[in-house]
């Protein structure tokens, strides 16, 4: 479970996509970021824009402001690559080490778990919306019952007991 938590913390949402950054992947694969980038550049045709993209200056600034990275200088002047789930899967064919395959399996499992949580969240949100949709009806029924009870209490009831 610890592996899942480590990988989950390294998944970021950029451009409305869940991605992992090159330096995080390099750390997991236990290689230098430079080596990872070289392998990707040598196999550029395997990484279309929906598998991998370079971050913009604004996106880097956002990562700095969110404390994901300490500063822009953390990248050493080059723009980092962001890999989608498909891009991470493609990395295993480019980085042909046993460690890369092992880490990729863990990453794929993490992405699946995140998707399952997202589906559960969506289902829960739909149920809440359904219940909220019924609240006006419930409110009207409760008001009717309260008003009915109030009118019943206002009518004179015959008194029971001794007359003085």
């Amino acid at each position: 479970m610890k592996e899942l938590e480590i990988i989950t913390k390294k998944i970021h949402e950029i451009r409305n996509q869940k991605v992992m950054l090159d330096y995080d992947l390099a750390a997991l694969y236990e290689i230098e970021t430079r080596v990872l980038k070289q392998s990707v550049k040598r196999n550029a045709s395997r990484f279309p824009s929906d598998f991998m993209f370079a971050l913009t200056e604004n996106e880097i600034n956002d990562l700095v402001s969110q404390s994901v990275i300490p500063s822009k200088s953390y990248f050493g002047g080059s723009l980092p690559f962001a890999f989608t789930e498909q891009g991470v899967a493609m990395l295993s064919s480019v980085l042909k080490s046993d460690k890369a395959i092992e880490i990729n399996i863990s990453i794929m499992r993490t992405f699946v778990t995140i998707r399952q949580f997202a589906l559960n969240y969506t289902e829960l949100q739909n149920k809440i919306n359904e219940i909220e949709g019924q609240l006006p009806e419930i409110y009207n029924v409760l008001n009717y019952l309260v008003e009915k009870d109030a009118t019943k209490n206002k009518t004179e009831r015959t008194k029971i007991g001794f007359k003085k």
Side-chain angles (χ1 to χ4, degrees), residues 135-158:
L135 284 178
E137 293 173 33
I138 294 169
Y139 178 75
N140 289 339
V141 168
L142 289 174
N143 271 344
Y144 171 77
L145 292 173
V146 167
E147 289 172 11
K148 183 178 173 185
D149 193 44
T151 57
K152 188 188 267 187
N153 288 340
K154 288 183 181 178
T155 60
E156 275 299 313
R157 295 175 39 196
T158 56

Side-chain angles (χ1 to χ4, degrees), residues 156-163:
E156 275 299 313
R157 295 175 39 196
T158 56
K159 297 186 179 179
I160 313 174
F162 295 106
K163 291 185 181 181

Side-chain angles (χ1 to χ4, degrees), residues 3 7-9 12-13 54 63-64 66 68 70 72 86 102-103 116 122 135 137-138 145 153 157-158 164:
E3 193 174 70
I7 295 171
T8 301
K9 288 180 182 177
H12 309 285
E13 188 157 329
L63 291 175
V64 171
Q66 295 169 12
V68 173
K72 287 202 292 194
Q86 294 82 7
E102 176 188 329
I103 293 297
Q116 288 171 340
T122 303
L135 284 178
E137 293 173 33
I138 294 169
L145 292 173
N153 288 340
R157 295 175 39 196
T158 56
K164 293 185 183 181

Side-chain angles (χ1 to χ4, degrees), residues 71-84:
S71 69
K72 287 202 292 194
S73 62
Y74 186 76
F75 298 115
S78 65
L79 297 176
F81 292 153
F83 293 87
T84 64

Side-chain angles (χ1 to χ4, degrees), residues 28-133:
L28 290 170
Y29 296 139
E30 297 176 356
I31 60 173
E32 293 180 36
T33 306
R34 171 184 61 80
V35 172
L36 184 138
K37 285 186 163 194
Q38 285 172 349
S39 297
V40 169
K41 287 178 182 176
R42 275 194 299 256
N43 296 281
S45 62
R46 293 180 183 225
F47 296 95
S49 62
D50 58 329
F51 282 30
M52 180 210 71
F53 53 88
L55 297 185
T56 64
E57 287 290 329
N58 286 338
E59 290 166 336
I60 293 171
N61 291 336
D62 288 345
L63 291 175
V64 171
S65 70
Q66 295 169 12
S67 300
V68 173
I69 55 171
S71 69
K72 287 202 292 194
S73 62
Y74 186 76
F75 298 115
S78 65
L79 297 176
F81 292 153
F83 293 87
T84 64
E85 182 178 355
Q86 294 82 7
V88 172
M90 188 59 73
L91 275 174
S92 66
S93 68
V94 173
L95 305 170
K96 295 177 178 154
S97 71
D98 289 339
K99 183 70 174 179
I101 292 168
E102 176 188 329
I103 293 297
N104 269 24
I105 290 169
S106 297
I107 292 170
M108 293 301 108
R109 287 180 176 150
T110 303
F111 272 107
V112 167
T113 302
I114 288 172
R115 257 195 315 282
Q116 288 171 340
F117 281 133
L119 286 175
N120 290 341
Y121 174 80
T122 303
E123 290 171 3
L124 182 61
Q125 187 64 45
N126 290 341
K127 283 285 185 196
I128 290 171
N129 290 341
E130 183 182 317
I131 290 169
E132 284 178 342

